[in-house]
Amino acid sequence: MKKVAIGADHAGYELKEFLKKKLGEDGYQIIDYGTDSDRSVDYPDFASSVAKSVSSGEVDAGILICGTGIGMTIAANKLNGVRAALCLYPTMAQLARRHNDANVLALGGRLMGKDLALETVRAFLETDFEGGRHEVRVEKVRQLEGRG
Ligand code: RB5
């Protein structure tokens, strides 16, 4: 995963800026969809930009940050092809990749320190999907898109 879209609301802005810098230093190509300050904004606006970028294949993965990560997760998962996972520590991120083939990582900016967040992001971006029995399950998830 080399090309990564990132987005945050006001509660995730500071962490987004930190992660953007660190991931850039790691060699990732980052596309920043905002927000650009800590002024209050609505998380679905940023979730939709990042989720669209992932579902269209423009980027390999997305990162979304709000206060808890919950709103971003709910909103991003409305788009076809998006599997957004809220992960608050690295093991969750590894399993979200290995078992669920998650393509968007959501973080809680008000719940995580910067170092833990960076470790969680790196775990997500560096872990591959295992396939095998999980492929069948992910395909069943895919089949739920557009239903009901
Ligand atoms: C903003 O106050 C907060 O509600 C938002 O960042 C997020 O946590 C929503 O899920």
Side-chain angles (χ1 to χ4, degrees), residues 8-12 40-44 65-74 107-111:
D9 72 356
H10 51 288
S40 182
V41 289
D42 301 327
Y43 62 81
I65 314 157
C66 60
T68 59
I70 295 170
M72 288 295 197
T73 308
I74 292 171
L107 301 169
R110 290 178 175 154
L111 305 178

Side-chain angles (χ1 to χ4, degrees), residues 45-83:
D45 298 335
F46 303 92
S48 67
S49 301
V50 168
K52 274 181 203 157
S53 182
V54 171
S55 68
S56 70
E58 185 195 6
V59 294
D60 302 306
I63 299 170
L64 284 167
I65 314 157
C66 60
T68 59
I70 295 170
M72 288 295 197
T73 308
I74 292 171
N77 277 319
K78 297 288 181 190
L79 277 86
N80 288 345
V82 172
R83 290 176 299 281

Side-chain angles (χ1 to χ4, degrees), residues 1 54 60-63 81-84 97 100-105 124:
M1 290 188 173
V54 171
D60 302 306
I63 299 170
V82 172
R83 290 176 299 281
R97 287 288 309 130
N100 310 109
D101 199 15
N103 50 17
V104 172
L105 170 66
F124 187 83

Side-chain angles (χ1 to χ4, degrees), residues 1 9 12 19-20 27 36 46 61 69-70 74-75 88 111 119 122 130 141 144 148:
M1 290 188 173
D9 72 356
L19 293 174
K20 198 170 71 172
D36 300 323
F46 303 92
I70 295 170
I74 292 171
L88 300 178
L111 305 178
E119 239 188 283
R122 284 181 173 149
E130 252 176 43
V141 171
L144 296 175

Side-chain angles (χ1 to χ4, degrees), residues 84-146:
L86 170 59
C87 301
L88 300 178
Y89 46 91
T91 307
M92 288 179 80
Q94 282 167 355
L95 288 170
R97 287 288 309 130
R98 276 202 217 135
H99 289 193
N100 310 109
D101 199 15
N103 50 17
V104 172
L105 170 66
L107 301 169
R110 290 178 175 154
L111 305 178
M112 308 170 81
K114 286 189 168 100
D115 291 341
L116 179 62
L118 179 59
E119 239 188 283
T120 303
V121 169
R122 284 181 173 149
F124 187 83
L125 296 176
E126 290 166 11
T127 304
D128 291 325
F129 179 46
E130 252 176 43
R133 68 187 191 283
H134 301 295
E135 183 61 60
V136 178
R137 295 163 186 168
V138 171
E139 180 52 34
K140 286 189 177 184
V141 171
R142 217 173 266 134
Q143 285 169 13
L144 296 175
E145 286 177 359

